């Protein structure tokens, strides 16, 4: 039985400039057809990693393997690059027609005119810009220009696609439309893709796995569910949208659960901890339920607290509710619930969440 080999693999990858380490990735692999999202704040090292993996940024230490074979710093780099395509945040288009832009990479490769036309038209139709083929690239909107840039990349039929914040400069409706189309196209083509973004919703929409980066290091990598619901530390938790992150001391334990004291409040959670240790409790806002009932109603939630609404602000399809429950707590409610419960700033409410809804991070000592 043949040994399984990832399409792209990096080992002991390190980039240093002026004595500073910009990138330090001991290992990373991408499977054929897999979509890996690199998320993290500006300056986290996402672009540096993309450029290093594609051999655009050199020198670097470590190895990059394509289909199990090491990419050397000589002629095989060119062969490797012929299997890649890269799309940047700002579309880098030539001052010519949309058709000629999409065809440019194929012309450089010396492909015959008939095959060029066939491939270009296929991608123009795929990205919904066939009607723009004779349009000058200078007249395109941001969304049209990025669709042209992506069509050019896919025309090369790359085995690996690198995307560097490709949607960042687009308005929300244009971005959403393009993400949906790209998701469908990647599903069709099964192109291995690594894309950098600071927007976790983009990562959730597109990726099979998410790698959270900061300071040139991959802090956590896993499925969207693993990373979003089981962050390994406070930084990852805050970056992937855990709005409530509180520190408490374990007061008692038993039966698989424990009680931690958070600013004098007892919060029950599930986990294997030691009495007396400090823990970080992460509560996602969608797991918090708000009620206006004066008495504690029947609920399966172990944690029920009285609180005052400090602030209400729109957040995508939800309203974000910031609460003071003698500890800070954030919840999301729908617009319908906001009206139905007559929620206003300053109102006293009850907030509840299940012990199983809390992700527990054991605080590292030192």
């Amino acid at each position: 039985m043949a040994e399984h080999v990832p399409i792209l693999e990096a080992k002991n990858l390190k980039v240093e400039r002026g004595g500073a380490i910009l990138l330090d990735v001991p290992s990373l692999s991408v499977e054929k057809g897999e979509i890996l999202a690199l998320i993290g704040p500006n300056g986290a090292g996402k672009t540096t990693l993309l450029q290093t993996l594609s051999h655009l940024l050199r020198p670097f230490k470590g190895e990059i393997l394509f289909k199990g074979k090491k990419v050397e710093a000589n002629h095989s780099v060119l062969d490797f690059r012929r299997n890649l395509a890269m799309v940047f945040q700002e579309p880098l288009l030539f001052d010519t027609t949309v058709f000629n832009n999409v065809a440019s990479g194929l012309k450089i490769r010396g492909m015959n005119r008939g095959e060029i036309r066939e491939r270009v038209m296929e991608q123009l139709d795929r990205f919904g810009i066939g009607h723009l083929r004779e349009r000058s690239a200078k007249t395109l909107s941001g969304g049209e220009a990025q669709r042209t840039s992506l069509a050019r990349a896919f025309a090369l039929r790359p085995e690996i696609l690198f995307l560097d914040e490709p949607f960042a400069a687009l308005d929300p409706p244009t971005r959403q439309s393009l993400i949906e189309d790209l998701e469908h196209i990647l599903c069709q083509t099964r192109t291995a893709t690594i894309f950098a973004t600071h927007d976790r919703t983009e990562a959730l929409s597109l990726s099979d796995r998410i790698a959270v980066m900061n300071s040139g290091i991959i802090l956590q990598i896993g499925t969207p569910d693993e990373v979003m619901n089981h962050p390994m530390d406070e930084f990852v938790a805050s970056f992937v949208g855990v709005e409530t992150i509180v520190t408490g001391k374990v007061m008692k334990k038993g039966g698989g659960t424990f009680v931690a004291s958070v600013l004098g409040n007892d919060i029950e959670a599930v986990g294997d901890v030691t009495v007396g240790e400090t823990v970080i409790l992460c509560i996602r806002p969608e797991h918090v339920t708000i009620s206006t009932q004066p008495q504690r109603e029947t609920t399966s939630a172990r944690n029920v607290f009285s609180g005052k609404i400090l602030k209400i602000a729109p957040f995508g399809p939800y309203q974000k509710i910031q609460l003071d429950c003698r500890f800070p707590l954030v919840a999301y409610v729908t617009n319908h619930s906001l009206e139905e419960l007559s929620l206003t700033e300053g109102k006293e409410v009850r907030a509840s969440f299940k012990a199983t809804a809390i992700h527990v991070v054991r605080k590292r000592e030192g």
Side-chain angles (χ1 to χ4, degrees):
M1 186 174 175
E3 183 183 354
H4 172 75
V5 177
I7 192 167
L8 186 67
E9 195 172 3
K11 296 179 179 179
N12 301 315
L13 213 55
K14 190 172 285 189
V15 175
E16 296 182 44
R17 295 291 185 271
I21 296 176
L22 304 184
L23 189 69
D24 189 359
V25 178
S27 67
L28 180 68
S29 63
V30 180
E31 304 293 333
K32 179 176 172 58
E34 183 182 22
I35 304 170
L36 173 68
L38 308 176
I39 68 170
N42 292 334
K46 305 184 298 294
T47 297
T48 301
L49 179 55
L50 283 183
Q51 292 182 343
T52 305
L53 289 172
S54 59
H55 265 265
L56 287 176
L57 183 66
R58 291 155 66 185
F60 59 83
K61 295 177 182 177
E63 296 181 356
I64 294 172
L65 293 86
F66 176 61
K67 295 183 176 177
K69 294 182 179 179
K70 184 178 176 182
V71 180
E72 304 288 353
N74 51 35
H75 67 277
S76 69
V77 172
L78 182 59
D79 295 335
F80 172 58
R81 283 186 182 158
R82 290 176 76 90
N83 292 287
L84 314 177
M86 194 156 189
V87 177
F88 300 94
Q89 179 176 330
E90 295 296 331
L92 304 174
L93 301 179
F94 299 111
D95 186 11
T96 182
T97 64
V98 167
F99 184 98
N100 286 335
N101 267 282
V102 177
S104 58
L106 303 175
K107 290 178 180 177
I108 290 170
R109 296 185 180 189
M111 201 169 284
N112 70 63
R113 186 176 295 181
E115 191 170 357
I116 288 175
R117 178 170 179 78
E118 184 180 323
R119 282 210 197 181
V120 170
M121 293 308 297
E122 176 189 28
Q123 299 307 326
L124 291 176
D125 290 343
R126 185 172 254 166
F127 281 94
I129 51 174
H131 62 293
L132 301 174
R133 62 183 177 274
E134 297 305 324
R135 178 89 70 84
S136 166
K138 293 178 76 173
T139 67
L140 300 176
S141 68
E144 291 166 345
Q146 198 60 291
R147 284 177 180 272
T148 301
S149 189
L150 283 162
R152 178 173 60 190
F154 275 92
L156 297 171
R157 295 181 183 169
E159 293 198 62
I160 306 174
L161 179 66
F162 293 96
L163 305 175
D164 192 5
E165 302 267 9
F167 317 113
L170 305 178
D171 61 80
T174 302
R175 179 191 303 142
Q176 188 58 38
S177 172
L178 186 49
I179 287 173
E180 288 172 4
D181 287 349
L182 182 59
E183 181 181 16
H184 180 65
I185 292 164
L186 287 172
C187 187
Q188 283 182 330
T189 61
R190 297 286 297 155
T191 306
T193 304
I194 307 174
F195 80 101
T197 178
H198 60 264
D199 187 329
R200 63 178 180 266
T201 58
E202 288 180 10
L204 285 171
S205 298
L206 282 171
S207 65
D208 298 305
R209 283 192 302 155
I210 294 174
V212 183
M213 294 190 70
N214 194 36
S215 302
I217 297 169
I218 294 177
L219 300 175
Q220 184 172 354
I221 187 167
T223 65
D225 177 67
E226 287 167 350
V227 175
M228 299 297 284
N229 294 313
H230 305 283
M232 67 171 290
D233 61 22
E234 288 173 89
F235 177 87
V236 175
S238 62
F239 198 81
V240 298
V242 178
E243 296 277 5
T244 301
I245 303 173
V246 293
T247 301
K249 185 175 182 180
V250 178
M251 306 306 290
K252 59 183 179 179
K253 57 178 273 192
T257 68
F258 67 89
V259 174
S261 177
V262 177
L263 297 174
N265 303 277
D266 287 347
I267 296 181
E268 186 172 352
V270 175
D272 182 15
V273 296
T274 304
V275 172
E277 83 169 284
T278 300
V279 291
I280 298 163
L281 306 180
C282 304
I283 307 162
R284 297 190 68 84
E286 55 268 35
H287 294 157
V288 178
T289 301
I290 291 179
S291 167
T292 54
Q293 297 297 319
Q295 298 298 320
R296 177 171 173 170
E297 67 265 39
T298 303
T299 174
S300 60
R302 296 289 186 93
N303 300 292
V304 183
F305 299 94
S306 297
K308 179 188 285 188
I309 297 176
L310 299 178
K311 188 176 180 181
I312 301 175
F315 188 79
Y318 302 102
Q319 295 289 330
K320 178 177 173 179
I321 312 291
Q322 294 184 20
L323 298 158
D324 177 10
C325 296
R326 292 187 299 154
F327 65 92
L329 185 65
V330 177
Y332 290 161
V333 300
T334 62
N335 290 317
H336 175 72
S337 294
L338 188 77
E339 289 184 27
E340 189 175 57
L341 298 173
S342 302
L343 300 181
T344 56
E345 292 179 2
K347 186 166 186 169
E348 297 284 344
V349 295
R350 296 180 89 76
S352 61
F353 48 91
K354 295 181 178 181
T356 53
I358 304 171
H359 175 63
V360 180
V361 177
R362 300 182 76 171
K363 196 167 178 65
R364 298 186 182 115
E365 298 301 325

